[in-house]
Amino acid sequence: MRVEHIYRYPVKGLTAEALEEVLLSPGECLPHDRRFALAQGDSPMDPAAPAWLPKRHFGCLAYNARLAALHSAFDPKTGTLAIRPPDAPPLLASTRTAAGRAEIGAFLAGYLGEEARGTPRFVEAPGHNFTDVAAKCVSIIGLASLHALEEKAGMPLDPLRFRANIYVSGATPWAEFDLLGQEVLLGGARLRVFKRIVRCPATEVNPETAERDAAPPKWLREHFGHADLGVYAEVLEGGRIAVGDALEPTQGDLLH
């Protein structure tokens, strides 16, 4: 398998940011991936004592499709977050100050309108990532599997519907499922694949139009007998990965 795309998602539910290369660290997500989130007003999220919570406690595409219409960009050097809505002036604010985070939270709450519950807070908890599973990990999708779903669905599906970190080409559809429980080499890093990714209603949302115009979970169940696309892997040994690098199992030839 070959790495075709690398993405991070600095704010849970907001824009993907493409990378040419990235340095992975043991036991961590991609740097700055899901670093921030909009905690709904009724969320028990405590930045001082962070614990994993289900996605319903945060602004996310599964429940807030209109977030896809926002275009955001995060500058890790300055801590500045830019958010551009479709029909209003953009926001530029610091994630490093209480005033800046409050400004971002108020902006997103105002944009969500009735979908905002209580008084949402834009949150960060150092050392914590707002992942969909209770583990720091890297998500990987085989593009052959996505193409198999597209063929059954009869329509193209933007890979960014699935918000993975690593998209790989090569092998056959669903070959990545054969890696479950196995260690793999990804560029200069070593990872262990530990879970298939169960797809949720977030994948129904078109990342360009913010419309729910497809039904990937339903189509996966109807045509393949499961609702899974992609796998999660934990980083065992850190290293640099880049577009064009290989992903290969450490034991035998599992990818046919």
Side-chain angles (χ1 to χ4, degrees):
M1 288 182 167
R2 177 186 184 274
V3 176
E4 297 291 344
H5 307 285
I6 304 173
Y7 292 101
R8 70 182 180 199
Y9 307 81
V11 182
K12 188 177 185 69
L14 295 189
T15 304
E17 297 185 356
L19 304 170
E20 287 297 315
E21 62 177 22
V22 67
L23 182 64
L24 298 183
S25 298
E28 297 294 335
C29 300
L30 265 68
H32 311 296
D33 189 48
R34 277 82 173 185
R35 175 175 169 179
F36 306 100
L38 182 70
Q40 291 281 15
D42 56 3
S43 168
M45 174 63 195
D46 180 1
W52 181 83
L53 292 169
K55 67 182 70 177
R56 67 176 179 274
H57 292 288
F58 306 99
C60 63
L61 295 178
Y63 300 98
N64 313 113
R66 62 196 319 263
L67 287 176
L70 296 175
H71 292 272
S72 63
F74 174 64
D75 183 348
K77 292 182 180 179
T78 65
T80 300
L81 179 67
I83 307 177
R84 178 168 54 85
D87 300 310
L91 171 77
L92 197 66
S94 174
T95 63
R96 295 179 178 173
T97 67
R101 292 190 295 273
E103 188 178 2
I104 296 167
F107 179 90
L108 291 172
Y111 177 76
L112 287 178
E114 293 182 354
E115 294 181 12
R117 307 194 305 266
T119 304
R121 300 162 290 142
F122 184 76
V123 292
E124 174 190 14
H128 182 78
N129 299 83
F130 296 94
T131 50
D132 285 347
V133 292
K136 293 188 178 185
C137 54
V138 173
S139 55
I140 303 169
I141 284 180
L143 289 170
S145 303
L146 175 57
H147 296 330
L149 176 59
E150 290 178 316
E151 184 176 353
K152 293 296 186 182
M155 65 178 288
L157 295 168
D158 189 327
L160 288 179
R161 286 179 184 266
F162 303 90
R163 299 180 68 80
N165 297 127
I166 311 292
Y167 292 85
V168 295
S169 61
T172 56
W174 320 113
E176 60 269 33
F177 292 169
D178 295 335
L179 297 172
L180 195 65
Q182 304 293 322
E183 294 183 9
V184 298
L185 299 177
L186 178 61
R190 184 167 62 92
L191 297 81
R192 184 182 69 86
V193 177
F194 68 90
K195 183 179 175 63
R196 288 161 52 153
I197 304 175
V198 181
R199 306 321 313 200
C200 76
T203 61
E204 299 171 354
V205 181
N206 186 316
E208 293 295 325
T209 67
E211 297 293 328
R212 293 191 185 274
D213 61 0
K218 177 175 178 285
W219 296 336
L220 284 165
R221 288 191 296 268
E222 286 180 351
H223 298 292
F224 301 102
H226 57 74
D228 306 341
L229 184 68
V231 294
Y232 290 119
E234 63 174 328
V235 181
L236 301 178
E237 293 181 5
R240 188 168 300 279
I241 64 171
V243 171
D245 281 350
L247 183 155
E248 55 190 5
T250 60
Q251 299 177 355
D253 181 15
L254 294 176
L255 303 179
H256 347 266

